[in-house]
């Protein structure tokens, strides 16, 4: 019983930790997307939750197949950095462009599923290694694979809830910039680049 609750506690803590980048990105998206409906607002945390659940289970099965995984560990933070840096840079560029444009030419940023999918990949790459640790964590437990699926399900649900809260916060903050959408977009871009740098620095240390 003690081992059971120990595993659950570890998974929950891992889920909360992994969800922090998705939470920050969700706030940015809530701030800058101006055509959000309730359905679209739910899509973002759903995407983040799915990716945060899928990556660990992939890592789990990779770890079952191979004894050591070193190659991807050397480049994962660079991939996440590049994806978020590009998205953040584009947001800053678009925001500055809108600031310089005439008022009648300004167009609010529209919800983009492809962009959200890229964000989902970028913020969940580190979750792949949680899958590697899951293999070790569940050693000696009966029905290891079933436990692995339960664990990633918990991580996915936690990410969804935290990201949904992030979107709601972002929408509220974005309303303060309703007449200055370009300012919100620039701020969102800077935050994404900040997250990208954080991931890169953590990966290099």
């Amino acid at each position: 019983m003690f081992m059971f609750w120990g595993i659950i506690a570890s998974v929950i803590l891992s889920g909360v930790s992994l969800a922090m980048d998705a939470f920050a990105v969700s706030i940015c998206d809530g701030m800058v997307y101006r055509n959000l409906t309730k359905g679209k607002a739910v899509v973002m945390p759903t995407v983040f939750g799915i990716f945060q659940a899928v990556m660990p289970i992939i890592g789990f099965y990779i770890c079952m197949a191979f004894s050591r995984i070193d190659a991807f560990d050397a480049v994962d933070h660079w991939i996440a950095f590049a994806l978020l840096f590009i998205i953040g840079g584009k947001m800053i560029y678009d925001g500055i462009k809108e600031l310089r444009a005439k008022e009648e030419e300004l167009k609010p940023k529209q919800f983009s599923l492809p962009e959200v999918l890229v964000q989902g990949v970028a913020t969940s790459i580190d979750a792949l290694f949680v899958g590697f640790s899951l293999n070790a964590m569940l050693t000696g437990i009966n029905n290891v694979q079933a436990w692995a699926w339960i664990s990633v399900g918990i991580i996915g649900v936690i990410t969804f809830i935290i990201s949904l809260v992030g979107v709601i916060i972002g929408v509220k903050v974005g309303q303060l910039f309703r007449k200055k959408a370009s300012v919100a977009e620039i701020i969102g871009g800077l935050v994404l680049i900040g997250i990208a740098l954080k991931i890169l620095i953590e990966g290099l240390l």
Side-chain angles (χ1 to χ4, degrees):
M1 181 62 69
F2 178 78
M3 181 177 292
F4 168 82
W5 288 112
I7 292 173
I8 294 297
S10 297
V11 170
I12 291 174
L13 289 174
S14 296
V16 172
S17 176
L18 289 171
M20 288 301 99
D21 287 341
F23 174 68
V25 173
S26 296
I27 292 176
C28 294
D29 288 347
M31 285 174 56
V32 302
Y33 290 138
R34 295 303 177 207
N35 63 330
L36 278 183
T37 61
K38 289 183 179 179
K40 290 177 180 177
V42 171
V43 166
M44 289 182 286
T46 300
V47 168
F48 294 149
I50 289 174
F51 274 107
Q52 291 284 16
V54 168
M55 287 294 190
I57 203 65
I58 291 175
F60 174 78
Y61 282 110
I62 288 177
C63 197
M64 287 185 66
F66 303 98
S67 59
R68 289 182 61 82
I69 307 293
D70 293 327
F72 191 74
D73 186 38
V75 299
D76 67 312
H77 45 280
W78 286 104
I79 295 172
F81 169 77
L83 292 174
L84 289 177
F85 190 89
I86 290 172
I87 294 173
K90 184 178 184 301
M91 287 171 64
I92 293 173
Y93 172 80
D94 290 342
I96 293 175
K97 184 178 179 181
E98 288 181 1
L99 281 176
R100 293 178 175 177
K102 294 180 180 179
E103 186 67 27
E104 62 271 15
E105 295 175 347
L106 294 181
K107 293 182 179 180
K109 186 175 178 63
Q110 302 297 305
F111 174 82
S112 170
L113 180 58
E115 187 170 273
V116 172
L117 290 173
V118 172
Q119 292 172 350
V121 172
T123 56
S124 65
I125 288 177
D126 55 344
L128 188 69
F129 295 95
V130 171
F132 299 161
S133 64
L134 266 181
N135 203 307
M137 184 192 307
L138 299 177
T139 299
I141 300 293
N142 293 328
N143 300 319
V144 172
Q145 294 191 46
W147 266 102
W149 282 95
I150 292 172
S151 298
V152 300
I154 293 172
I155 291 172
V157 170
I158 289 173
T159 301
F160 171 84
I161 294 172
I162 291 177
S163 298
L164 182 59
V165 171
V167 173
I168 293 171
I169 293 173
V171 170
K172 296 297 183 182
V173 173
Q175 289 174 350
L176 300 176
F177 299 96
R178 187 61 66 188
K179 295 182 179 180
K180 297 182 179 179
S182 55
V183 175
E185 195 163 357
I186 292 172
I187 293 174
L190 289 172
V191 172
L192 287 187
I193 289 178
I195 296 171
L197 290 171
K198 166 184 167 290
I199 292 173
L200 179 61
I201 292 170
E202 288 178 347
L204 293 175
L205 293 178

